[in-house]
Amino acid sequence: VSKLLICKCNIMKIKTLMVVSLAMLSMASCKTAVTKEVKIVAHRGYWDKEGSAHNSISSLHSAMEIGVFGTELDVYVTTDSIPVLFHDKKTSNGRGIEDATYAELMESAPLLSNSEVMPSLIEFLEAWNHDKIKIILEIKSATTPEKETFFVEQILETVNGYGVTSE
């Protein structure tokens, strides 16, 4: 069964406890014992390679190819509840991710540095080989606590919809 760790910086205490509990459940259920050995995690995927970019599908494939333990990804949520992978609050054309619908973001086709379109979390989960690599999601800070709660709820709903569990 696939494993996923979700982390969030500067979130209310209750959400922090929920995230920590989910991470602990996930770690406790890993097939291998938790040890003191260092695990290599690709930051925003393995993007430092020709043809790849931060938080891209190609960076996921590259991370799986080199055999790292996991990959960390940055997630925002659009106003119509679509989690997308992107590091910055705004796209290169200045569009605020948390203040736009997915369709509005795609109208301007926000391209990553390798010309891939900004992927949704769903597209990423579909490309993910659960047996090869773990995924660590960084839920990006929102402008209000209500939006942060919304981000967490939508991301968990998406992840749960793909059968990613902590069993």
Side-chain angles (χ1 to χ4, degrees):
V1 178
S2 305
K3 305 296 180 273
L4 177 74
L5 300 177
I6 299 178
C7 61
K8 172 70 182 89
C9 301
N10 300 323
I11 196 166
M12 295 181 311
K13 286 183 181 181
I14 190 72
K15 290 190 288 182
T16 301
L17 290 173
M18 179 186 74
V19 168
V20 169
S21 297
L22 180 62
M24 289 173 66
L25 280 171
S26 181
M27 289 184 347
S29 66
C30 287
K31 293 179 183 173
T32 57
V34 177
T35 66
K36 292 182 180 181
E37 86 181 53
V38 174
K39 305 285 187 195
I40 306 297
V41 175
H43 185 237
R44 300 181 203 150
Y46 177 45
W47 55 267
D48 192 16
K49 176 181 176 184
E50 187 173 335
S52 194
H54 296 258
N55 293 311
S56 66
I57 301 296
S58 63
S59 72
L60 169 67
H61 289 295
S62 295
M64 288 189 297
E65 287 171 13
I66 64 170
V68 294
F69 174 78
T71 185
E72 175 269 349
L73 305 162
D74 303 310
V75 186
Y76 278 100
V77 179
T78 61
T79 59
D80 56 345
S81 307
I82 307 294
V84 294
L85 303 181
F86 204 70
H87 176 71
D88 300 320
K89 289 183 180 282
K90 295 182 177 190
T91 63
S92 58
N93 65 4
R95 176 71 103 172
I97 295 172
E98 70 179 272
D99 299 318
T101 65
Y102 184 72
E104 289 169 339
L105 286 176
M106 292 302 110
E107 282 174 7
S108 58
L111 298 179
L112 304 176
S113 63
N114 66 344
S115 298
E116 284 183 47
V117 174
M118 174 194 310
S120 69
L121 180 56
I122 290 171
E123 292 168 324
F124 205 87
L125 292 173
E126 289 173 349
W128 175 34
N129 182 331
H130 304 201
D131 297 325
K132 284 193 164 196
I133 196 168
K134 308 293 183 222
I135 292 181
I136 298 103
L137 298 178
E138 178 184 338
I139 302 170
K140 301 302 281 186
S141 296
T143 53
T144 68
E146 294 78 21
K147 281 189 178 181
E148 286 187 350
T149 299
F150 176 71
F151 279 19
V152 171
E153 291 168 349
Q154 296 309 307
I155 292 166
L156 286 174
E157 183 178 313
T158 301
V159 167
N160 290 334
Y162 272 81
V164 178
T165 66
S166 59
E167 294 179 28

